[in-house]
C-alpha cells in the first residue's frame, strides 16, 4: 500500500520535567515523517473539499480520543484495534530488543480542533458571528472547524521504565487568534486538550522487552450528553505515536520472526495498530526495525509515500489521479466555496490548477512488482482465507442475536452505537440491510458484514466484497433467522 504525504508544520512541546538525554538531540523519526503526516491529516477534509458537502459535516474519523465521561455515557467502549471507533484512550503494546543502557523516545502527535468563526460588526459596533463574509480584498471566508497539529516529545532510559510506569503530560493549551478583514474579522479559538501518556516496560528474556504506551484524554466533558461536535473541542484528533531511540530494535507485530510469534501474539494494542517504520530490509531478517509507527489506520510494515504524489489530498488510501481529475472538474462556484472553507482546500486547488502535464502524467500509475527478485519473498501469514482456519467460514457461520441466529442472507435493521463506534455510522441508523457474512477478527471479536438495502451500489459492493461491518449488538433481527442463499 502506498500512502500520500502530509504538509504543514507542527507545534512541538517538551514534556514537563522530561529533558532529552544528551546524544539524543537528533530526530530519529525523520524517515517516517511523510507517512506520519499522511496519518495525521487522513480524512481532515474530503473531496469535494466544500463545507456544504455532507461528508465534510461529519469530521475526524480516525484516532479520536474524547473525554472519558462523554465516551462512556452509554457504557464502556468495545476494545479493538480499529482507530475509527471513538475512544478515550489508545494503547500500544509491542516487542523490542534493547541494550541495557537503551533510551526510548516517544513522540505523541495529534490535531487540536480550532473553531474558525467569521464575525461582522453590528450597528452597535459589537461583533456578531456570521456564516460567511467577504473581506476587503474580495476573498470569501466561511465559518468552519479547522485543526492545528501538536506534538510532545518524551524520553526515558529503559532501566527507568523497568522500575515502573513513567507518565508525562501531553496537553495542548487553549488559544485565541484574530485576523482582521476590514469588513469584519475571523476569530480562531482552541480549547485546552488535557491528555497524558504513560509508558511501561517488562523484561521477557535477555535483551527482549515488552513495551506498553498508553495515551489518555484526561479532560472532563462539561456535558456528557453534548453532541459529538461539541465534545470534539476537547479531543485529540488523529492521535498516533512514534517510538524510537538508541540501542533499540522493534519487532514486527504483523510478521514477527518465527521464534517470537507467540510473544508477539501476546501484545494487545487498542484503537491503534503498530507497524515498523522506515525502509524495509534494515535488519537481518526484515522483521525488525529501529522505528515503530502506531497509527489509528491499519498499515503494513514499512509504509511509504508514493514518490509520484505531488502533495496531500487528505485521503491517503485513495488514488491521486482519480482525486486530481475529480478536483479539476469542480465548477468555479464549487472551487470558490472550497477555498473559503479551509486554507488546506485552497492549497489543493492551487496545486491542481497549476499542475504541469508531466506531473499529472506520472499519476497515471506505476508497477512496483517487476523489480528483479534477489531471493524468494517470505510467505506472510494471512489473517483469514476460506479454508485457512479450521471451523471458520463467513458464508456459513451464524451468531445469535436476541435469540435469533444471524448469518448470510439474514435481514437486519442497523442500530449502530454512536459512541465508541465509527463516526460515519450515524448515517446508517435505522436502515435495513442484508447480512453477507460473519467474520471472526484477529482480536477474538465478531463482526457481521452487511449490504444496505437502499444503497444503489449494493449489488456492486457485494460482487467485489465491499461491506459495512457491525458488531452483533448493533443489529436487530428482522426475520426468523439465517436465510442462506440458494
Amino acid at each position: 500500500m502506498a500512502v500520500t504525504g502530509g504538509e504543514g508544520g507542527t507545534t512541538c512541546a517538551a514534556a514537563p520535567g522530561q529533558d532529552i538525554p544528551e546524544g539524543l538531540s537528533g530526530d530519529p523519526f525523520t524517515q517516517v515523517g511523510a507517512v506520519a503526516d499522511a496519518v495525521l491529516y487522513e480524512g481532515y477534509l474530503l473531496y469535494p473539499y466544500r463545507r456544504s458537502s455532507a461528508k465534510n459535516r461529519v469530521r475526524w474519523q480516525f484516532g479520536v480520543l474524547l473525554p472519558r465521561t462523554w465516551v462512556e455515557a452509554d457504557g464502556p467502549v468495545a476494545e479493538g484495534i480499529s482507530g475509527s471507533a471513538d475512544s478515550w484512550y489508545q494503547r500500544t503494546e509491542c516487542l523490542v530488543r534493547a541494550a541495557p543502557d537503551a533510551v526510548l523516545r516517544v513522540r505523541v502527535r495529534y490535531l487540536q480542533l480550532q473553531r474558525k468563526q467569521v464575525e461582522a460588526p453590528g450597528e452597535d459596533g459589537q461583533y456578531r458571528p456570521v456564516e460567511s463574509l467577504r473581506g476587503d480584498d474580495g476573498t470569501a471566508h466561511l465559518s468552519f472547524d479547522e485543526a492545528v497539529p501538536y506534538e510532545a516529545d518524551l524520553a526515558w532510559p529503559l532501566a527507568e521504565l523497568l522500575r515502573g510506569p513513567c507518565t508525562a503530560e501531553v496537553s495542548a493549551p487553549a488559544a485565541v487568534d484574530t485576523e482582521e478583514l476590514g469588513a469584519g474579522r475571523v476569530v480562531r479559538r482552541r480549547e485546552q486538550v488535557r491528555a497524558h501518556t504513560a509508558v511501561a516496560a517488562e523484561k521477557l528474556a535477555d535483551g527482549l522487552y515488552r513495551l506498553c504506551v498508553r495515551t489518555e484524554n484526561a479532560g472532563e466533558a462539561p456535558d456528557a450528553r453534548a453532541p459529538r461536535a461539541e465534545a470534539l473541542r476537547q479531543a485529540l484528533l488523529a492521535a498516533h505515536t512514534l517510538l524510537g531511540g538508541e540501542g533499540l530494535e522493534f519487532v514486527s507485530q504483523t510478521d514477527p520472526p518465527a521464534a517470537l510469534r507467540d510473544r508477539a501474539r501476546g501484545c494487545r494494542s487498542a484503537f491503534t495498530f503498530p507497524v515498523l517504520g522506515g525502509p524495509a530490509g534494515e535488519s537481518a531478517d526484515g522483521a525488525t526495525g529501529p522505528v515503530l509507527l502506531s497509527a489509528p489506520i491499519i498499515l503494513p510494515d514499512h509504509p511509504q509515500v508514493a514518490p509520484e504524489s505531488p502533495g496531500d489530498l487528505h485521503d491517503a488510501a485513495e488514488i491521486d489521479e482519480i482525486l486530481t481529475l475529480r478536483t479539476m472538474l469542480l465548477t468555479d462556484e464549487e472551487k470558490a466555496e472550497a477555498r473559503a472553507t479551509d486554507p488546506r482546500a485552497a492549497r489543493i486547488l492551487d496545486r491542481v490548477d497549476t499542475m504541469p502535464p508531466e506531473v499529472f502524467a506520472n499519476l497515471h500509475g506505476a508497477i512496483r512488482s517487476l523489480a528483479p527478485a534477489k531471493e524468494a519473498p517470505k510467505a506472510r501469514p494471512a489473517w483469514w482465507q476460506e479454508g485457512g482456519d479450521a471451523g471458520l467460514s463467513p458464508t456459513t457461520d451464524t451468531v445469535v442475536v436476541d435469540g435469533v441466529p444471524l448469518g448470510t442472507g439474514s435481514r437486519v435493521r442497523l442500530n449502530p452505537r454512536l459512541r465508541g463506534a465509527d463516526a460515519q455510522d450515524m448515517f446508517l441508523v435505522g436502515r435495513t440491510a442484508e447480512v453477507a457474512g460473519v467474520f471472526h477478527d484477529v482480536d477474538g471479536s465478531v463482526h457481521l458484514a452487511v449490504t444496505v438495502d437502499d444503497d444503489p451500489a449494493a449489488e456492486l459492493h457485494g460482487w467485489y466484497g465491499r461491506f459495512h461491518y457491525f458488531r452483533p449488538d448493533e443489529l436487530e433481527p428482522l426475520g426468523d433467522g439465517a436465510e442462506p442463499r440458494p
Side-chain angles (χ1 to χ4, degrees), residues 67-109:
R68 183 175 185 176
T69 51
W70 188 89
V71 174
E72 295 191 338
D74 295 321
V77 299
E79 192 170 277
I81 60 174
S82 174
S84 63
D86 290 345
S87 178
W88 58 275
Y89 68 94
Q90 279 182 347
R91 184 181 69 247
T92 298
E93 290 190 358
C94 63
L95 301 180
V96 63
R97 292 169 174 156
D101 60 348
V103 175
L104 175 69
R105 290 191 61 169
V106 178
R107 177 170 293 172
V108 179
R109 309 177 81 227

Side-chain angles (χ1 to χ4, degrees), residues 134-285:
R134 192 170 294 275
D136 290 347
D137 61 355
T139 301
H141 300 268
L142 295 174
S143 295
F144 192 64
D145 282 347
E146 304 171 336
V148 297
Y150 187 84
E151 287 185 355
D153 278 324
L154 316 173
W156 291 279
L158 177 62
E160 184 176 346
L161 296 173
L162 290 171
R163 289 194 291 269
C166 296
T167 303
E169 186 175 348
V170 292
S171 301
V176 178
D177 300 318
T178 302
E179 177 187 357
E180 299 294 341
L181 300 176
R185 66 184 186 182
V186 174
V187 181
R188 291 177 166 88
R189 295 180 175 88
R190 301 187 295 277
E191 294 189 13
Q192 182 187 29
V193 176
R194 296 184 58 223
H196 58 251
T197 294
V199 183
E202 175 189 2
K203 184 175 181 179
L204 301 178
D206 286 343
L208 180 68
Y209 305 86
R210 178 173 25 272
L211 294 178
C212 179
V213 181
R214 183 183 174 99
T215 297
E216 298 181 358
N217 187 317
E220 286 228 14
D223 180 3
R225 294 293 175 181
R228 183 175 184 267
E230 292 299 316
L232 287 172
R233 298 177 186 274
Q234 296 177 283
L236 292 74
L237 311 173
H240 59 282
T241 308
L242 303 176
L243 306 180
E246 291 188 351
L248 300 170
E249 192 175 57
F250 295 91
V251 177
S252 170
Q253 289 295 114
T254 57
D255 187 20
L260 296 178
R261 283 177 186 164
D262 288 341
R263 299 274 197 185
R265 290 193 188 102
C267 294
R268 308 294 291 180
S269 294
F271 306 107
T272 189
F273 190 76
V275 298
L276 300 180
E282 290 190 357
S283 62
D285 56 12

Side-chain angles (χ1 to χ4, degrees), residues 138-477:
T139 301
H141 300 268
L142 295 174
S143 295
F144 192 64
D145 282 347
E146 304 171 336
V148 297
Y150 187 84
E151 287 185 355
D153 278 324
L154 316 173
W156 291 279
L158 177 62
E160 184 176 346
L161 296 173
L162 290 171
R163 289 194 291 269
C166 296
T167 303
E169 186 175 348
V170 292
S171 301
V176 178
D177 300 318
T178 302
E179 177 187 357
E180 299 294 341
L181 300 176
R185 66 184 186 182
V186 174
V187 181
R188 291 177 166 88
R189 295 180 175 88
R190 301 187 295 277
E191 294 189 13
Q192 182 187 29
V193 176
R194 296 184 58 223
H196 58 251
T197 294
V199 183
E202 175 189 2
K203 184 175 181 179
L204 301 178
D206 286 343
L208 180 68
Y209 305 86
R210 178 173 25 272
L211 294 178
C212 179
V213 181
R214 183 183 174 99
T215 297
E216 298 181 358
N217 187 317
E220 286 228 14
D223 180 3
R225 294 293 175 181
R228 183 175 184 267
E230 292 299 316
L232 287 172
R233 298 177 186 274
Q234 296 177 283
L236 292 74
L237 311 173
H240 59 282
T241 308
L242 303 176
L243 306 180
E246 291 188 351
L248 300 170
E249 192 175 57
F250 295 91
V251 177
S252 170
Q253 289 295 114
T254 57
D255 187 20
L260 296 178
R261 283 177 186 164
D262 288 341
R263 299 274 197 185
R265 290 193 188 102
C267 294
R268 308 294 291 180
S269 294
F271 306 107
T272 189
F273 190 76
V275 298
L276 300 180
E282 290 190 357
S283 62
D285 56 12
T288 55
V291 177
L292 194 81
L293 166 63
S294 190
I297 302 168
I298 296 179
L299 298 170
D301 282 335
H302 310 292
Q304 299 179 35
V305 170
E308 299 84 7
S309 177
D312 196 3
L313 293 167
H314 302 309
D315 196 342
E318 185 59 274
I319 299 172
D320 281 25
E321 182 184 29
I322 293 175
L323 283 179
T324 300
L325 284 169
R326 289 175 176 172
T327 303
M328 288 178 175
L329 293 175
L330 292 175
T331 66
D332 291 342
E333 292 76 13
E334 290 172 327
K335 288 184 178 181
E337 183 188 348
R339 291 181 185 279
T341 295
D342 191 283
R344 289 184 174 273
R347 289 201 287 271
I348 291 173
L349 294 173
D350 289 342
R351 186 170 63 243
V352 169
D353 287 345
T354 61
M355 185 177 293
E358 59 273 16
V359 174
F360 180 74
N362 285 339
L363 300 181
H364 188 57
I367 300 176
R368 309 188 201 279
S369 59
L370 299 182
K374 296 181 180 179
E375 60 180 82
K378 294 188 307 178
R380 292 181 178 269
W383 283 7
W384 189 90
Q385 58 183 359
E386 191 75 50
D389 289 293
L392 298 181
S393 173
T395 57
T396 60
D397 284 351
T398 60
V399 60
V400 176
V401 177
D402 294 336
V404 178
L406 298 182
T408 302
S410 296
R411 308 281 306 137
V412 296
R413 188 182 308 280
L414 307 178
N415 296 308
R417 178 175 178 163
L418 298 185
R419 301 189 183 200
D422 191 320
Q424 295 192 43
D425 286 350
M426 66 178 65
F427 292 119
L428 302 176
V429 174
R431 293 164 73 171
T432 58
E434 180 177 313
V435 176
V438 178
F439 290 84
H440 298 262
D441 298 338
V442 293
D443 61 4
S445 60
V446 177
H447 283 78
L448 286 82
V450 305
T451 55
V452 181
D453 286 344
D454 55 356
D455 183 350
E459 184 176 353
L460 178 62
H461 291 334
W463 176 70
Y464 62 76
R466 181 174 182 176
F467 305 113
H468 296 281
Y469 293 86
F470 293 92
R471 297 190 301 271
D473 62 359
E474 297 180 296
L475 302 178
E476 173 190 345

